[in-house]
C-alpha cells in the first residue's frame, strides 16, 4: 500500500500490482524475484492473489494443457490464419483467436457459472442429501427445457478420456471441490434418465470443474482456456506467415453462391 | 446464380456477392455500377438484400448518425486511444472500439430482441387490444423482476430529445412498425406505474425501434451502432497518433493502489 | 471551448466533440441537428473537422463504396464467419474483419503514404517539370529495388475498370489533387519501362489517391476502406449466424497434415 | 502423417497437430499424455516443435514472467478495463490487451529482428572479429541516423536489473546464443560513444535476446510477451468486472476540450 493515506474516492482502484521506485510489486512480491519462476505459478498468483501450492499449480497446468490444439478444426485458429494472411501481424492474429472463444467452443464459462450457482443453492438449502438435491435440479431443468452445460461430445460416449485425465489430476492433488462433486451428482442423475446413459462430462466441462475447484470465476475459466490455446495459435500463425501464400480465400469449389443478377433501374435507386 | 447447377452439399453457402470474370456482383448489382452511390444505400443493400426507398435510406441515415460521438466518455473511444498509443495501428484501434460495444453501452441489441419477441407474442395472441396486451407484458416483467431494455437516461427525464428526433424521422418517412408501436405501448403502461412517470425511451432504445422497423435483426442493430460510431473513433485515433504522446497511462493521482508487500519464502513457492 | 480557461497541462486534449448540459457538440454542431443528415457527410465532418461540399461528399461515397464486398475471397470476411461460428457475437466478428485489413489487402495506407511523401519532395524541390521529377522517382525506386505501391492486379491489365470509375468521379467533382496527378505521372513513367506497359493503377491504389485528394491521412485511408467493407461483413455474419452450422472447420480434404507420431519418453520431458 | 499418401496440392498444410480417431496428436505426442505437463513445456513444444530441455524450459519461464504486470501504466491493461466496463466479456478484454502490444511497448519483435539480421550479416561476413564487426554496425546505423532497438529506459541507467536477471538465467542454463553476444558487443560499442555511456539494454530488449537464443522468430517473441502479460490482464479484468462501475470514462478534469460552437447553415450542408 502506498505510504500516504489514499483518499477513498479516487476513480480507479487496483490491488494487482504497483510500480515502485525501482521495481514493480506484483501481488506483494517484487517482479525481480518472480522472474524465472514457473509461468503457471505466476498465472495463479496474478489471478488468485496468492502463490499456489504444488498441487494447485499442477491442477492449473492440467487446465492450461487441456485443449492445447485441435488442428484446423478450431474456429479461432482458422480465423487467425485468415487474418495474418492479409495483415501479417502476430497481435492481430492472437486477438482474432481470442475472440472466437465463446458460446459454442472453448468457453467453460457456462459450466462454471452453472456449477457455482447450483452449489450456492445447495449450501443455502442446508440439505445434507446431495443426491436428492441433484435430482430436484435435474427435474427443474427438464421442466424448463434447459440443458446442462458441459455434457456430451460428438465422438466420446460415456467417458471422455481427456476429461478423465483432468479429473484424476485434481483428485490426486486434493483439489476437488464439493461444488464439483455436486456437478457430478447432477450428471449422474441426468444419465439415469431414459436415453441419456451415454452422455459424458466433456473436456471443457471438466476444465470448468477444475477452475471452480481452484476458486476461479467463470470469466477467468474462459480466460484460462484462451491462454491455454494460444501457444497452438502462435504455431499456426508462424506456419501461415512462412507459407508463402497471401490473402487466403475459401476456394470456389467449396462454396455455393446464390446471388441474383439485376440491373440498376433509375426508379429504384434512392441515392 | 452460377451458370452450372451447384451441388446442394457444399460446406459454405452465400448470397451476398459473387466474383465474376470482370467484376463483383453485389446482391445482384455490378460493383462498378454501385461505386459512387450513397454509402447508406449500399449499407442497406448489403445487409437487407434490396436497395432502400428514399425514406428507408433517410431512416438508416438517422440510425447511423444517432450516436456519432460522445467525447472521451465512451469506453470504446478511450480504449482505442490507449491501444494506438502503444501500437500505432488504425485497424487495432478500430477493433478495440468495436469490442467495447456491449451490454452496458452502444448495443441496441437487447431492446431490438425484446421488441421482436413481444411483437411475435402479440401477433400469436391474435389480440386486438394492444394496450391490454402491453399491460400483461409489464405485469409479467414486474413479477419476474426483469427490466425493460431501452428505457431511462441519467440526464434526460420524460423525454430524450435525441430519441424524439429519431422517432420523428421514422414517422415522417412512413417507417414505423407495429412492433415499435407496441414497444411504445409497453413504455406507456410502464410509466403509468407509481414512481416511473419520468423514465423516457432513450436514444439507443429508439435506435433499436428504428432498426426493427426497417427489418434489421438485433445483431445487425448493434452492428449499425458500431458502424455509426466509427468515424468518431477514427477522429480520436488520428488525434492520438498526432498527439506526440506514447504509452498512455492512468495517472497515479487517479488510482488507489492497495498492494501488499511480501517476501518470497522458500516454503510457500511451488515453482 | 469550455467557459472557464483550461489549464495547458491536462493529460488529454480533444477537439472532436464535447458533452454539454443537454447535448453533444460534434465538431461544433449539436448532435441533435446532425441526426438524420447523410452518414457520409457526418463521416467527413468527424474526421476532417468540416462539413463536406456536395462534391467532397460524393467522392467520399465513392471511396466508401469502392470495395463493398468480395464474396468469400476476402480474408477478413472469412475470419469473421469463423469467429461467429464459435462465438455468436456481432462485435467480435466485426473486430476480426477489421484486423484483417493490412499489408496485403484492404490497406490503401501504403499508397497514400507514398503519394504524400513524394508530393512533399516535389513541392520542396521547387521543380516545375512534374514528368522529369516522376522519372527521377522511378529511377530511384528501381535502383533501391523498391516497388511502387498501388499498382497491378491479377486480372486487370492496363486498366482497372473500378479504379477508372473512382477517378472519373473525383475529376468530375473537382476533387483531384496535384499529389494524385504526380502519382499518375510516376505510373506513366513506370509503364514506359520495358515489360511494364500493362500494369494499371488498381482500385485500392486509386482509393488512396482520392483519400489523399480529400486530405485524409494514410491511416485514415485505411480506416475508410475498413468502414466501407463493414456492411458486407455484417451481411456475411448474419448469413453465418442463421446458417444452422456451428464451429466451422477447414475440411480435412483440404488440408495436408504432416504431423509425426512420437512417444513421450521419461528422459526427454522437462516438466 | 496420414496413412494415405496426401496430394501435394492441397490448399492448406499443417504440421502442428492432427485429429485422430480417439485423440489429438500435438507435434507428435498424444494430447492425453501431455495434459498435466508444465504449460511452459507445452508452449515450447507447440511453437518450436520439440519438447524443451530443463534449461530451455527455465529460460522460457523467464521470458514469460519478465513483464508480468505494470499496474495501470500499461496501455493494453487500461484498454481492456475500458472495454469490459461496457462489454463485460473476458474475450473482448483479452483481445484489446493483445492489440496494444506494438511498436512502443511490449513488442520485442524489433530487437529480435535486428539481432537476427545483424547476426546473419556477421556469419556471412566470415569475420572473426566480432568487436570490429559491431563497430561497423554502430557506425553504419549512426550514418543512417537509425536507432538500435532494445536500448534505454526512462528510470534505469547503465543497468536494468530485470534485464540482468533474465540474462543470468539464460547464461546459467547454457542458453545464450552467439547472436545475443553480438548484440551485446554492439551495445558495448554504442555505449563507448560520447554521451551514451549510461544507456542499458532494457528488459524487452533482453527478452528478445533470450527469444532469439531459444530459436523463436521475431513475431513469436512478441507473442510470448503478449502471453506473459495476459494473466495480469485477466486479474485487472476481474477487478473491473467486480468494481461495480460501468461505462468508464476519462474524467472531465483530465481533458482539455477545444471544440468550437457553430450553427448548421443551409448553404454549407451537403447532405
Amino acid at each position: 500500500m502506498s505510504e500516504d493515506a489514499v483518499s477513498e474516492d479516487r476513480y480507479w482502484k487496483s490491488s494487482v500490482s504497483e510500480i515502485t521506485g525501482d521495481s514493480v510489486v506484483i501481488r506483494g512480491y517484487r517482479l525481480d524475484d518472480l522472474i524465472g519462476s514457473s509461468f503457471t505459478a505466476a498465472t495463479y498468483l496474478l489471478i488468485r492473489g496468492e502463490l499456489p501450492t504444488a498441487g494447485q499449480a499442477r491442477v492449473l497446468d492440467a487446465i492450461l494443457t487441456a485443449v492445447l490444439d485441435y488442428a484446423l478444426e478450431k474456429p479461432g485458429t482458422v480465423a487467425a490464419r485468415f487474418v495474418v494472411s492479409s495483415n501479417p501481424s502476430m497481435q492481430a492474429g492472437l486477438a482474432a483467436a481470442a475472440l472466437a472463444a465463446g458460446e459454442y467452443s472453448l468457453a467453460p464459462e457456462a459450466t462454471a457459472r452453472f456449477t457455482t450457482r447450483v452449489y450456492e443453492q445447495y449450501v443455502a438449502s442446508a440439505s445434507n442429501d446431495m443426491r436428492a438435491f441433484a435430482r430436484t435440479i435435474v427435474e427443474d431443468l427438464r421442466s424448463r427445457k434447459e440443458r446442462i452445460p458441459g455434457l456430451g461430445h460428438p465422438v466420446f460416449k460415456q467417458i471422455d478420456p481427456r476429461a478423465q485425465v483432468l479429473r484424476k489430476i485434481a483428485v490426486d492433488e486434493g483439489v476437488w471441490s464439493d461444488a464439483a462433486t455436486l456437478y457430478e451428482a447432477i450428471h449422474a442423475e441426468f444419465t439415469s434418465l431414459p436415453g441419456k446413459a451415454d452422455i459424458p462430462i466433456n473436456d471443457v466441462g471438466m476444465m470448468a470443474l477444475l477452475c471452480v475447484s481452484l476458486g476461479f470465476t467463470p470469466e477467468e475459466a474462459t480466460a484460462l482456456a484462451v491462454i491455454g490455446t494460444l501457444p497452438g495459435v502462435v504455431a499456426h500463425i508462424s506456419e501461415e506467415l512462412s507459407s508463402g501464400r497471401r490473402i487466403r480465400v475459401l476456394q470456389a469449389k467449396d462454396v455455393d453462391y446464390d446471388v441474383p443478377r439485376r440491373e440498376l433501374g433509375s426508379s429504384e435507386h434512392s441515392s
Side-chain angles (χ1 to χ4, degrees), chain A residues 11-95:
Chain A
Y11 186 56
W12 296 93
K13 296 186 194 305
S14 184
S15 303
V16 181
S17 72
E18 186 171 358
I19 301 168
T20 60
D22 64 344
S23 185
V24 188
V25 178
I26 309 270
R27 295 292 195 189
Y29 303 103
R30 288 170 57 90
L31 174 56
D32 314 47
D33 294 336
L34 293 172
I35 293 176
S37 57
S38 111
F39 179 60
T40 301
T43 297
Y44 191 98
L45 172 65
L46 260 305
I47 304 179
R48 298 284 301 130
E50 303 287 338
L51 285 166
T53 64
Q56 289 165 335
R58 182 143 185 268
V59 174
L60 182 51
D61 267 327
I63 292 168
L64 290 169
T65 56
V67 290
L68 288 171
D69 206 50
Y70 205 66
L72 292 173
E73 306 199 7
K74 194 188 272 181
T77 302
V78 182
R81 292 186 75 140
F82 272 92
V83 164
V84 303
S85 82
S86 169
N87 178 18
S89 153
M90 178 59 77
Q91 301 94 302
L94 294 178

Side-chain angles (χ1 to χ4, degrees), chain A residues 66-67 103-108 111 147-167 176 183 187 198-210:
Chain A
V67 290
E103 196 171 332
Y104 305 140
S105 73
L106 210 60
T111 305
R147 54 185 288 283
I148 302 171
L151 301 184
H153 191 276
V155 171
F156 301 120
K157 303 301 173 193
Q158 295 184 325
I159 295 282
D160 181 331
R162 297 161 307 167
Q164 292 307 305
V165 176
L166 287 172
R167 185 186 193 286
W176 185 259
Y183 182 91
H187 174 242
D198 64 351
I199 298 180
I201 301 176
N202 61 37
D203 56 342
V204 173
M206 190 62 77
M207 186 196 291
L209 298 187
L210 268 58

Side-chain angles (χ1 to χ4, degrees), chain A residues 224-256:
Chain A
L224 294 172
V226 169
I227 293 174
T229 204
L230 286 185
V233 175
V234 175
H236 282 282
I237 291 175
S238 284
E239 216 168 47
E240 186 64 30
L241 291 175
S242 62
S243 71
R245 281 193 190 267
R246 292 178 178 184
I247 308 185
R248 289 276 187 185
V249 303
L250 289 183
Q251 295 171 281
K253 71 177 174 60
D254 290 329
V255 190
D256 274 351

